[in-house]
Structure formats: C-alpha cells, structure tokens
Amino acid sequence: MALYFTKQSTLHAGIIMDGNGRWALARGLSRAAGHRAGVETVGRVVEAAPEVGIGILTLFAFSSDNWRRPPAEVDALMRLMGIYLEKELGRCVNQGVRLQVIGRRDRLTPALCAAISRAEAATERGSKLWLRIAVDYSARDAILAAARGVAELSLDALGSALGPPVDLLIRTGGERRLSDFLLWECAYAELVFSRTMWPDFGAQDLAAAVREFRGRERRFGAVPEKPMRLREAWLD
Ligand code: FPP
C-alpha cells in the first residue's frame, strides 16, 4: 500500500465545485462573476478544511471537457486561476498549505504553467493541508497516463501513480454525478451531494458534509462489524 502525506486520522476530500453559473444568472450577473465568487469560496474552504479534519483537499477547477465552453468563459477561468495562484500564495505559505496542480499542462499558457510551478515550489513544505487543484483534468485520461507509466500493471502500482484514495466526495449545485473526477480514487468514497451553489458554500457546509461522512459506516465490501437485526439487514 502506498504511503501518503496525510495521517490516517485526516481525510482526503474531493470537491466538484458546481453552481457558479446558476448562482450568477440568478443575480443577473455574468458567469465570470459567478466564477469570481467561486474563488472566494475556495479561500473559505481551504481555510476551514484542516479545522474539520481534512488533510488532503482536491478541488475540480477545470475539467478537460470544460474546453467546450465559450472562449470568453474559458479565458475568464484561466485568468482567475492565475490570479488565485499569485494572490493566495502568501496565504497558502502562512497557512501551511502545500499546493499542487493536477491534470494536463500542455494546453495551458506558458504564463499559467510558470505561475503553477512557482506556487508549487513556494508551498512544497506546507504540512497542514495538501491542496490539489485539478485543471484540464480528466480522470479517464489520468488512468490511461498512469497505466502507460507503470512498469507492471497492478492495483497498487496504478493506485500509487494516480494519488491518494478519496474518503469523502462532495458535489455542490444539486447535480449528482462524478463528471470524470477522480474515478479510480473514489472507488470507496462516501458521496455527499449538496443543493447549495458553490459561491454560497461555506465552512459550516463543509463541516456538515464531514459530519455526515463520520456518521456513515464504511465497510469496503466487508460485512458490518456488529451484526444487524434481520429487518435492518434486509432494508440495507
Ligand atoms: C462549475 O460551475 C464550476 C466550474 C466549471 C469552475 C470552477 C472554478 C472555480 C470555482 C474558480 C477557479 C478555481 C480556483 C481554484 C482558482 P458551472 O459554471 O458549471 O455552474 P452551473 O452548473 O451553474 O452553470
């Protein structure tokens, strides 16, 4: 089993940050304004994550399928990413956040790639939270790339090449799908779907999702630790 950065007691949470567009349209604002509000939420959630026991946080910022969006929106998202990396760098260092960007880099601008490398280098000693931002990311592509890169194909080798398993997967915005996010890593993730649009998501919502996670019994395919009464077993 691969050794990961996080302690056993801390969680790996993945978040599909959905609902920026609908949040903005409901207020007569542009979709870009929704994404700007979404970046504010990222700041709040990153700050709150270690306090609720999250050691690794993977955020889905831009999927490989998001290139299909209108060029102006793609441009706004890429620009926001660059601004976030520059603006939040000091705060990440102060908060002990190690920042890493996952996904393809070959379709990003050289300026954004440089900002990513700077942020990753400046925060590499962060030990309180490992923040992974998925940009131009597709889980299916990542699995293919990992399979091509391992010497011998096995569950352990592929798992190590891909990254830490996800404990808790949160999707905001009311939709209930995985949208090509961390498909392998979510094999036994607990899924929490929230109707809250991402710009309205806050520390309390994150804490509530973690509480829901902690209340669930994770069996990983095994039988429950305490035998259930027949009726409960039937209902399960
Ligand atoms: C989905 O909402 C959200 C995105 C495609 C982008 C998420 C990006 C951010 C929160 C900002 C950039 C992030 C960082 C880390 C700097 P949507 O636009 O699909 O919303 P809709 O479903 O309401 O249309």
Side-chain angles (χ1 to χ4, degrees), residues 16-25 31 34-43 46 59-63 66 69 73 76-85 88 131-135 171-173 175 177 197-199:
I16 302 177
M17 309 181 286
D18 198 10
N20 294 345
R22 280 165 288 161
W23 181 91
L25 294 181
R31 293 181 58 84
H35 295 313
R36 279 198 295 278
V39 176
E40 302 290 318
T41 306
V42 169
V46 166
L59 301 176
F60 206 4
F62 190 89
S63 93
N66 288 151
R69 294 192 176 204
E73 184 173 345
L77 277 166
M78 291 298 159
R79 251 179 306 134
L80 275 176
M81 222 78 73
I83 293 169
Y84 175 83
L85 292 171
E88 294 293 303
L131 172 62
R132 307 187 327 146
I133 301 180
V135 180
R171 181 173 187 140
T172 62
E175 309 285 358
R177 54 177 170 263
M197 300 294 146
W198 179 248

Side-chain angles (χ1 to χ4, degrees), residues 6-236:
T6 186
K7 290 185 222 116
Q8 278 298 96
S9 56
T10 62
L11 303 181
H12 178 192
I15 308 186
I16 302 177
M17 309 181 286
D18 198 10
N20 294 345
R22 280 165 288 161
W23 181 91
L25 294 181
R27 287 161 180 76
L29 302 170
S30 67
R31 293 181 58 84
H35 295 313
R36 279 198 295 278
V39 176
E40 302 290 318
T41 306
V42 169
R44 289 199 297 275
V45 164
V46 166
E47 198 172 334
E51 288 158 23
V52 295
I54 294 171
I56 308 176
L57 179 65
T58 306
L59 301 176
F60 206 4
F62 190 89
S63 93
S64 295
D65 290 322
N66 288 151
W67 292 112
R68 296 190 190 139
R69 294 192 176 204
E73 184 173 345
V74 169
D75 199 48
L77 277 166
M78 291 298 159
R79 251 179 306 134
L80 275 176
M81 222 78 73
I83 293 169
Y84 175 83
L85 292 171
E86 305 280 349
K87 225 180 89 191
E88 294 293 303
L89 193 54
R91 203 145 77 110
C92 284
V93 172
N94 291 338
Q95 288 177 355
V97 173
R98 171 187 162 199
L99 197 149
Q100 186 191 4
V101 172
I102 59 168
R104 287 176 62 164
R105 299 259 171 114
D106 58 306
R107 296 189 285 197
L108 307 181
T109 63
L112 184 54
C113 288
I116 291 170
S117 300
R118 271 198 302 276
E120 287 179 335
T123 60
E124 69 184 354
R125 287 177 185 282
S127 59
K128 209 165 160 199
L129 177 73
W130 178 10
L131 172 62
R132 307 187 327 146
I133 301 180
V135 180
D136 196 359
Y137 174 85
S138 148
R140 289 168 301 172
D141 276 356
I143 293 167
L144 268 183
R148 288 192 183 112
V150 294
E152 204 174 316
L153 209 48
S154 71
L155 286 178
D156 268 358
L158 215 50
S160 299
L162 283 164
V166 174
D167 299 299
L168 166 64
L169 188 280
I170 302 169
R171 181 173 187 140
T172 62
E175 309 285 358
R176 295 172 174 229
R177 54 177 170 263
L178 293 180
S179 301
D180 205 9
F181 184 51
L182 303 175
L183 297 181
W184 179 284
E185 296 90 322
C186 279
Y188 277 101
E190 295 295 330
L191 311 182
V192 172
F193 298 105
S194 162
R195 286 184 205 279
T196 304
M197 300 294 146
W198 179 248
D200 287 331
F201 197 81
Q204 280 144 346
D205 301 293
L206 186 69
V210 171
R211 264 199 310 279
E212 181 166 346
F213 167 83
R214 300 235 187 255
R216 293 193 191 169
E217 185 184 43
R218 301 185 81 195
R219 299 206 290 267
F220 299 96
V223 289
E225 285 200 350
K226 276 179 262 155
M228 285 183 286
R229 283 191 294 127
L230 193 59
R231 188 173 155 274
E232 286 164 352
W234 175 254
L235 290 174
D236 197 39

